[in-house]
Amino acid sequence: MLKRFIKKIMGTIALLLTFALVLLPIAGAEAFDGKHPQSGLKPLDENRQMQISPGDRCPVCGMTVIQYPKFNCAIQLKNATTYYFCTTGCMVRSWMHPEIYLGTARDMLERPIVREYFSGQQIDARDAVLVYGSDVIGPMGPALVPLLDERYLTVFKRRHGGKTQVLLKELTDDRWYEMTGKKIAE
């Protein structure tokens, strides 16, 4: 009786392992090969809009990007390779240090895309005002919130607060640490 029970358990384990080996690559688990993050399955479309697939994983934290439609964003490289992120903070870290997070040189970066907080519109992150220290919580904790311009900033701060606002081009490792209390490459 014990032998049959053990045999049944071993069969179940074998079945689960087979199932995992087949489905994990489909779900994007190959995003972390220990050397290079996996790019998104689809690039930005002809209108520079994200085409996030269920298997796309954030190269910084490994979260499934499609689960966070209010916060997900992207970086497109000059060769059209596109990486998708769960939140603006992960995207910014990769934009600032692509050699660490994307395994690519800075001169390969083409376009950072974020979702504007109020409209959900996908915009170039270089055009957005980024707010940190508000009451908005994203998938990774306190959110770095992209806004379209200064008018939206006034409304946002009235509703949600916000200790710091910055443009992407103004961010440095020191400024990131000032805002978040964390090193950019943690």
Side-chain angles (χ1 to χ4, degrees), residues 101-162:
Y101 296 106
L102 304 179
T104 194
R106 179 176 300 284
D107 64 357
M108 285 298 295
L109 300 177
E110 177 74 18
R111 180 173 295 108
I113 300 293
V114 293
R115 289 189 189 271
E116 196 279 328
Y117 179 77
F118 288 113
S119 68
Q121 176 185 350
Q122 297 178 38
I123 60 173
D124 192 307
R126 294 169 291 197
D127 298 331
V129 176
L130 304 172
V131 179
Y132 189 78
S134 71
D135 64 1
V136 176
I137 303 298
M140 296 292 289
L144 184 60
V145 179
L147 302 171
L148 202 52
D149 59 31
E150 295 292 328
R151 291 175 303 149
Y152 288 81
L153 176 63
T154 302
V155 173
F156 180 85
K157 287 182 88 171
R158 192 171 347 115
R159 292 180 185 174
H160 301 284

Side-chain angles (χ1 to χ4, degrees), residues 39-119:
S39 61
L41 296 175
K42 298 177 187 174
L44 299 180
D45 70 14
E46 63 277 353
N47 297 315
R48 299 180 179 168
Q49 299 296 292
M50 295 183 284
Q51 299 186 89
I52 300 169
S53 300
D56 292 336
R57 304 282 295 260
C58 179
V60 176
C61 68
M63 293 207 293
T64 305
V65 177
I66 204 164
Q67 292 180 322
Y68 306 101
K70 291 183 84 167
F71 296 97
N72 54 34
C73 45
I75 290 177
Q76 183 182 47
L77 304 182
K78 289 182 179 173
N79 64 7
T81 299
T82 304
Y83 292 93
Y84 294 108
F85 303 87
C86 64
T87 190
T88 308
C90 287
M91 186 279 297
V92 166
R93 292 168 75 168
S94 297
W95 184 259
M96 292 176 66
H97 291 284
E99 68 285 351
I100 295 172
Y101 296 106
L102 304 179
T104 194
R106 179 176 300 284
D107 64 357
M108 285 298 295
L109 300 177
E110 177 74 18
R111 180 173 295 108
I113 300 293
V114 293
R115 289 189 189 271
E116 196 279 328
Y117 179 77
F118 288 113
S119 68

Side-chain angles (χ1 to χ4, degrees), residues 2-13:
L2 183 60
K3 281 184 181 182
R4 264 195 309 191
F5 179 72
I6 291 172
K7 197 172 189 178
K8 202 173 203 180
I9 286 179
M10 295 304 285
T12 302
I13 290 171

